[in-house]
Amino acid sequence: MKKEIITENAPKAIGPYSQGVRTSGGFIFASGQIPLDPQTGELVAGGIAEQTERVLENLKAVLEAAECSLEDVVKTTVYLKDIEDFAAMNTVYAKYFKVCPPARVCVEVARLPKDALIEIDCVASEGQNYSY
């Protein structure tokens, strides 16, 4: 069973997909976010740092709509238009994932929607209490 996650605080889906989906197993799957301003639908001005921040704020909004947070993220995939932006992206990314950063994949791609420099998707696990 699954339930769609919808929020006005992140860009609307521009195709036949959901901003996010919650499963009965307690996982949240957030669709890839590019650096669109949720109010204007336009790419944010600036370079990779500004775009990374906007993408992570968009993901944060989707997770908050699912009553989760970035602390619940267990996996991300980062798509970069230019792998040379890796270090600058990492600097911003590290500010959002300070404690137990999620597992991650980062790849360079030929092109992203609206010629964005970055896209990130994620998987979160609803507020589980783990003991090891």
Side-chain angles (χ1 to χ4, degrees):
M1 190 165 82
K2 64 183 180 178
K3 181 180 178 191
E4 184 176 22
I5 300 164
I6 303 170
T7 180
E8 294 294 319
N9 296 322
K12 293 179 179 161
I14 55 175
Y17 62 90
S18 302
Q19 288 172 310
V21 173
R22 168 181 272 136
T23 69
S24 58
F27 286 98
I28 307 299
F29 295 84
S31 290
Q33 292 290 319
I34 60 173
L36 295 179
D37 180 308
Q39 305 307 314
T40 66
E42 299 297 321
L43 281 177
V44 296
I48 191 65
E50 293 82 6
Q51 288 199 11
T52 301
E53 184 171 349
R54 180 73 261 159
V55 165
L56 291 168
E57 288 295 327
N58 290 345
L59 283 173
K60 184 176 164 185
V62 172
L63 294 170
E64 286 174 352
E67 299 177 347
C68 287
S69 73
L70 289 172
E71 291 180 5
D72 298 310
V73 174
V74 296
K75 172 78 168 58
T76 63
T77 305
V78 178
Y79 307 91
L80 291 173
K81 185 175 179 182
D82 185 349
I83 201 69
E84 295 295 321
D85 287 336
F86 182 82
M89 174 279 297
N90 237 10
T91 299
V92 176
Y93 184 97
K95 293 176 185 176
Y96 283 82
F97 296 107
K98 295 179 182 178
V99 178
C100 190
R104 182 177 85 184
V105 172
C106 182
V107 295
E108 180 181 62
V109 295
R111 195 165 180 203
L112 291 166
K114 297 197 176 229
D115 287 324
L117 300 177
I118 185 169
E119 181 172 357
I120 303 175
D121 66 28
C122 72
V123 178
S125 179
E126 291 185 274
Q128 306 289 328
N129 291 322
Y130 300 104
S131 59
Y132 298 101

